[in-house]
Amino acid sequence: MPVRWTSSTAASLVFIGALATSSALAQTVYKSIMPDGHVVYGHKPAKGATQVQKLEPAKPVVEVDPEAAEALRQREKAQAAEIDKRLAARRAARDKADTEVATAQEAVDRAEKALAAGREPLAGERIATADGGSRLSEAHFDRIKGLEDDIKAAREQLDRARRERNVLE
């Protein structure tokens, strides 16, 4: 019957293998000199060796220069402060851009409402015709054109504000 490996079993085997490898690197090694002069290295003395020498693993030497360590800490602290400063500036720029977009959107909404409300002719914007009716005057059309121009300008400002905000993302 084939053996089924689960991911946790495989992970455990990898972990055990890593421990075995790291512990093997730190184990004592024996140098055995055989009667014919050959040298054999192993994790235990070789049988029949005329001479056995126990070789201890070298202990790692770690030297820390306190001044260098402090200088490194100071550089890292300065870099972290610079990053924080940049992030704060970026957040402030994004917040400002979001505010400009919201303000521009409100201007578009106001301009559209003004146009909707301004479609009705005002007093004095109708001219009597010869057949007893009336027609809209140029003043009405000029006022409507002005309201439409306000919407166009507000939408252009909104587009600019959105482009500027999108650059920041």
Side-chain angles (χ1 to χ4, degrees):
M1 177 173 194
V3 176
R4 289 197 170 159
W5 299 97
T6 63
S7 60
S8 61
T9 304
S12 297
L13 289 174
V14 168
F15 179 71
I16 291 169
L19 281 178
T21 303
S22 64
S23 63
L25 294 174
Q27 286 183 350
T28 302
V29 175
Y30 293 91
K31 177 182 176 182
S32 303
I33 300 175
M34 304 308 287
D36 62 357
H38 285 90
V39 177
V40 177
Y41 293 92
H43 64 281
K44 60 184 179 180
K47 290 183 181 179
T50 57
Q51 185 180 356
V52 175
Q53 184 180 3
K54 185 177 180 180
L55 305 172
E56 295 292 334
K59 293 187 174 36
V61 177
V62 178
E63 293 183 24
V64 176
D65 178 7
E67 291 176 8
E70 183 59 29
L72 176 62
R73 270 192 294 277
Q74 293 302 322
R75 276 195 311 276
E76 288 175 347
K77 189 176 178 181
Q79 288 173 346
E82 180 63 28
I83 289 170
D84 288 344
K85 182 179 170 183
R86 287 182 188 171
L87 287 174
R90 188 177 179 107
R91 266 192 300 275
R94 255 195 325 256
D95 290 347
K96 180 181 176 194
D98 287 341
T99 300
E100 289 174 2
V101 167
T103 301
Q105 182 63 56
E106 290 169 2
V108 168
D109 294 343
R110 279 192 311 272
E112 288 174 345
K113 285 179 185 175
L115 176 62
R119 292 231 182 251
E120 270 307 303
L122 300 176
E125 290 185 339
R126 288 202 166 272
I127 299 173
T129 61
D131 63 356
S134 67
R135 66 175 179 83
L136 296 172
S137 69
E138 282 299 313
H140 173 77
F141 293 112
D142 289 344
R143 186 173 58 79
I144 295 297
K145 173 78 169 107
L147 293 171
E148 289 170 345
D149 289 345
D150 291 346
I151 290 174
K152 182 179 176 184
R155 285 184 179 155
E156 287 172 357
Q157 179 59 35
L158 177 60
D159 290 342
R160 267 193 306 277
R162 285 180 175 162
R163 278 193 306 274
E164 289 173 8
R165 182 189 61 192
N166 291 342
V167 168
L168 299 174
E169 293 178 357

